[in-house]
Amino acid sequence: MKSIHTYPFEGKRALIRVDFNVPLDKKTLTVTDNTRIRAAAPTILHVLEKGGSVVLMSHLGRPKQGPEDRFSLKHIISEIEKVLEKQVKFASDCIGKEAFEMSENLSPGEILLLENVRFYKQETMGDETFSKQLAKHGDCFINDAFGTAHRAHASTTVVAKFFPNDKMFGFLIENEIKAVDKVLNSKEKPRTAIVGGAKVSSKITIIKRLLERVDHLIVGGGMAYTFVKAQEGNVGNSLVEDDYLEMANQILKEAKEKSVNILIPVDTVIADVFSNDANTQIVPITEIPDEWMGLDVGPKTIQMCDEILTQSKVILWNGPMGVFEMEKFQSGTLEIARSIVRATEKGAFSLVGGGDSVAAINMFGFADKVSYVSTGGGAMLEYLEGKELPGIKAIKE
Ligand code: AMP
């Protein structure tokens, strides 16, 4: 494995796997959120500054059978040009004569974007012949697509084997790995993890792993009600996974044995229907009337979380505290975000990672007020679970 910091790019073509799977406006097919393009910019610009040229490959959406206009990367060319302030050439196929000619003829300082790699089914199959073709575009390979590092696809993983001595991580992946490792292996205390979101089942491995590494574990969101029911509270119509009641109790027991302070919400905002127009009340979380459901944490819980968070030195936040997409049930998530921002201002290292808490922190406009916001949803979850991500392994081995 080589390092992007020291690699001699001069006169070389760098094939870079980026994650340009960005949201597009359904009608105009223009980019509605360019976060992922901005996130890849430092790596691209570094290669150019060092005298190399760049061939970008990415997927966009989930095309089913071959090329589909709405998934063409041509729709994002102008956004990439805007972010990089450079011209971008486009190959309307990711392999084939024309594409190879274009990459061969690149001059230092030039950028070529290849068409969506998922227009070939061989991409998701991790096909070797296809990977070898992709590899022809570069003298070296940089993986900077953390968001797809958990996939053993041709352009994310298999292609790396054709660059045994010229493969490396981009700055984005490097930073993602550094941020999670800092949280998981930090010696500073207290360390607090907030795990929210919809279901216990999707976060169970992470929770178990975090019990080994944190002092406080705050449980929020829909999954809290499974814990409350497991402790024989009345949860009314709240989201509950009955298959996980025993598991919830086991986690509580394990936390006690490991002296981890696990905070289950004490009060909750309940609603009579799942809607922003619902009637609402605040009640103790163990006393939710039949027909009502808990959709956010209440003010006492928010206060308790704040006390823990503002004295924490390391914070990991994964998953919202309530149904933050609806304004009536947003307070818990918003206030947690505020507490994390305050803790960060006091010097804590805070990482927001995985799916909807990232959406929430962006929505509140706090993304630059925490230490690190991860760009990789599923990949971040799997990394936190302790799995070895194929895209990362392929570069390291
Ligand atoms: P996840 O992808 O597992 O992090 O779950 C995120 C989703 O959980 C968001 O769309 C939230 O609206 C949802 N969520 C959070 N709290 C609740 C709740 N109390 N009841 C139902 N869904 C919830």
Side-chain angles (χ1 to χ4, degrees), residues 14 20 69 71 117 125 147 178 221 269 279 297 308-309 334 396:
F20 283 173
D69 184 70
F71 295 126
V117 285
M125 289 160 60
K178 257 192 230 157
V269 181
N279 294 306
V297 293
I308 293 174
L309 287 167
L334 175 60
K396 281 186 174 166

Side-chain angles (χ1 to χ4, degrees), residues 66-296:
E68 261 181 84
D69 184 70
R70 68 191 167 121
F71 295 126
S72 171
L73 282 165
K74 71 179 182 212
H75 302 301
I76 75 165
I77 298 171
S78 58
E79 194 64 32
I80 305 173
E81 290 184 331
K82 205 171 89 191
V83 171
L84 298 176
E85 297 180 353
K86 300 225 180 294
Q87 242 193 330
V88 173
K89 295 183 171 179
F90 181 67
S92 56
D93 194 348
C94 62
I95 53 170
K97 191 166 168 279
E98 193 195 317
F100 293 131
E101 269 174 19
M102 288 181 87
S103 61
E104 260 164 40
N105 292 324
L106 275 187
S107 303
E110 288 190 323
I111 305 167
L112 171 68
L113 171 68
L114 303 176
E115 180 57 290
N116 195 340
V117 285
R118 284 204 194 160
F119 284 172
Y120 287 84
K121 63 177 185 323
Q122 290 90 330
E123 162 65 4
T124 48
M125 289 160 60
D127 182 82
E128 257 201 63
T129 313
F130 178 63
S131 308
K132 196 172 176 182
Q133 297 264 303
L134 290 174
K136 281 168 69 176
H137 286 296
D139 304 311
C140 60
F141 173 61
I142 304 177
N143 188 354
D144 210 21
F146 186 72
T148 48
H150 58 321
R151 308 275 186 222
H153 294 172
S155 71
T156 63
T157 301
V158 187
V159 70
K161 75 161 66 154
F162 299 102
F163 299 91
N165 300 312
D166 298 280
K167 55 184 178 177
M168 66 208 95
F169 294 128
F171 294 124
L172 175 64
I173 287 208
E174 218 178 61
N175 288 339
E176 295 267 354
I177 296 173
K178 257 192 230 157
V180 197
D181 288 348
K182 191 160 174 175
V183 163
L184 292 179
N185 304 319
S186 174
K187 299 274 180 293
E188 286 207 72
K189 282 172 167 267
R191 294 162 298 180
T192 302
I194 309 140
V195 183
K199 292 179 169 177
V200 184
S201 52
S202 61
K203 305 279 168 81
I204 193 76
T205 321
I206 292 176
I207 293 179
K208 288 195 152 208
R209 191 150 188 260
L210 288 173
L211 283 181
E212 308 284 341
R213 291 156 200 265
V214 298
D215 306 293
H216 301 280
L217 177 70
I218 297 173
V219 174
M223 73 172 72
Y225 305 91
T226 299
F227 283 86
V228 174
K229 186 168 179 187
Q231 295 284 296
E232 306 195 347
N234 292 325
V235 294
N237 268 349
S238 306
L239 186 69
V240 162
E241 288 173 283
D242 283 314
D243 293 350
Y244 279 81
L245 295 173
E246 218 172 289
M247 183 63 88
N249 277 332
Q250 199 190 317
I251 288 171
L252 293 172
K253 190 167 153 255
E254 253 179 67
K256 211 171 183 178
E257 284 164 7
K258 296 193 159 78
S259 303
V260 175
N261 171 35
I262 184 162
L263 175 71
I264 308 296
V266 294
D267 58 350
T268 175
V269 181
I270 57 170
D272 53 356
V273 280
F274 189 83
S275 155
N276 204 30
D277 301 323
N279 294 306
T280 62
Q281 301 177 50
I282 294 168
V283 297
I285 204 163
T286 51
E287 295 172 26
I288 302 176
D290 295 347
E291 313 298 330
W292 290 69
M293 65 193 94
L295 296 183
D296 196 6

